[in-house]
Amino acid sequence: MQIKNLMSEDIITVDKDQNLSDALKLLRKHNVSRLPVTNNKELVGIISERDIANKLGSSKYESMPASRLHISSVMVKDVFTVPETMQLDEVAKLMLENGIGSVPVMDEDDKMVGIVSKADFVTLAVGIAFDKITVKEVMTKELTVVSPTDRLVHARRQMLESHVGRVPVVEDGVLEGMVTSKDLMRAFIDFRKKVPEKYQKAQIKDVLVEDIMSSNPTVTSKDATISEVARVMMETGYNGLPVVEGRDVVGIITQTDILRLIQKLES
């Protein structure tokens, strides 16, 4: 299958000279996690919730409000793109090898005609073939976790170093919640709004994981099928689900894991 048959043609873009607040409004309004960035309608970058969380949590920008940051200073400039005739497995391989969550799709005139994300690939993981594959065969077992009493800045650093967009919050092996790039992004923005600039550097260290995490996260079991997990992801918009036995966390199944499976089956 060519990628043009899977991509979304409804492309929401943001201009590189707009400020970060504009991007945040678009992300929230359209319930997406990333936006292609344009300049005079030409693709010049891409910006994601993870990019925003990483930038707002850095020491260089730690006290700067979103309204004073331009898209161009936060976006990723080296954007991978794919032609609309590229095969599914080739696009999946590109995304996996480069650790990217989406790629703009270009026509033969190098004009952006769509975008494809891991979430689009997840829609393929529903059907007979995926009814026969269980979570334990695909899930990630080596977890990056944080505890409820860890600092927000520690959670950001852990996610950055592990190249992940979500981490389970665990205490004594028991799942207490989840923290995602979206949670981090919103926490940093809310913090800037509530705390005067001169106090931010000191007080950011007081924000804990338990203050921002999502409690009672949706979970799955090792014996669930990939079809079942894909349906949950499609219905909820979640990028990953903790895998539990009782209340103990034994792994996580993410869109990346499903993308890897699809790439393997398609190639």
Side-chain angles (χ1 to χ4, degrees):
M1 185 192 292
Q2 294 182 342
I3 202 63
K4 65 182 179 183
N5 295 315
L6 180 64
M7 71 182 189
S8 170
E9 297 179 29
D10 185 18
I11 315 169
I12 312 300
T13 65
V14 65
D15 190 272
K16 75 176 183 67
D17 294 325
Q18 290 180 264
N19 63 44
L20 192 53
S21 295
D22 297 320
L24 296 172
K25 290 173 186 174
L26 286 171
L27 289 168
R28 191 178 301 115
K29 179 180 178 181
H30 298 282
N31 195 29
V32 293
S33 58
R34 54 187 55 82
L35 300 166
V37 182
T38 57
N39 181 33
N40 296 323
K41 297 186 178 180
E42 292 291 320
L43 179 69
V44 294
I46 198 161
I47 187 169
S48 70
E49 292 172 341
R50 192 186 300 190
D51 299 326
I52 296 170
N54 291 343
K55 188 72 73 170
L56 293 182
S58 69
S59 56
K60 183 177 179 181
Y61 298 100
E62 63 187 355
S63 60
M64 194 175 291
S67 58
R68 280 168 45 195
L69 275 172
H70 283 97
I71 301 296
S72 56
S73 65
V74 181
M75 71 183 191
V76 172
K77 296 174 184 173
D78 296 324
V79 185
F80 288 93
T81 63
V82 296
E84 60 182 342
T85 53
M86 198 172 199
Q87 294 297 312
L88 283 181
D89 64 309
E90 295 173 331
V91 177
K93 183 179 180 183
L94 175 77
M95 293 170 70
L96 289 166
E97 289 180 346
N98 294 282
I100 51 180
S102 67
V103 283
V105 181
M106 319 299 280
D107 67 9
E108 59 186 11
D109 298 318
D110 209 30
K111 176 186 174 186
M112 183 168 53
V113 291
I115 189 167
V116 65
S117 69
K118 291 177 185 176
D120 295 315
F121 278 92
V122 168
T123 64
L124 299 175
V126 177
I128 296 173
F130 297 94
D131 285 337
K132 299 174 182 177
I133 305 171
T134 59
V135 167
K136 62 187 172 189
E137 299 172 63
V138 180
M139 71 183 195
T140 298
K141 297 173 186 175
E142 294 183 8
L143 287 176
T144 298
V145 302
V146 294
S147 76
T149 53
D150 281 336
R151 293 173 174 176
L152 166 67
V153 290
H154 172 74
R156 171 191 169 273
R157 187 166 58 249
Q158 289 289 91
M159 292 168 70
L160 194 57
E161 291 176 354
S162 302
H163 305 288
V164 295
R166 56 185 52 243
V167 291
V169 183
V170 178
E171 191 163 43
D172 298 327
V174 174
L175 182 68
E176 299 289 343
M178 288 287 289
V179 170
T180 67
S181 295
K182 187 191 292 286
D183 296 325
L184 290 182
M185 179 187 75
R186 289 176 174 171
F188 282 122
I189 292 166
D190 290 344
F191 178 81
R192 282 166 163 75
K193 289 178 180 177
K194 294 175 182 176
V195 179
E197 189 172 330
K198 63 180 179 179
Y199 299 123
Q200 287 179 8
K201 190 167 186 176
Q203 292 189 23
I204 190 64
K205 296 173 183 176
D206 296 329
V207 183
L208 304 180
V209 167
E210 63 188 358
D211 299 326
I212 69 157
M213 70 182 189
S214 301
S215 301
N216 303 313
T218 301
V219 300
T220 189
S221 71
K222 291 195 300 181
D223 297 321
T225 68
I226 297 303
S227 283
E228 290 170 338
V229 168
R231 287 190 182 93
V232 172
M233 288 181 175
M234 290 161 60
E235 290 168 4
T236 62
Y238 295 155
N239 297 338
L241 305 176
V243 184
V244 299
E245 284 186 336
R247 289 191 66 196
D248 293 339
V249 186
V250 295
I252 189 168
I253 177 96
T254 67
Q255 289 180 343
T256 302
D257 297 315
I258 294 178
L259 179 64
R260 190 176 294 112
L261 173 64
I262 291 171
Q263 192 265 329
K264 180 180 177 182
L265 294 176
E266 289 277 338
S267 58

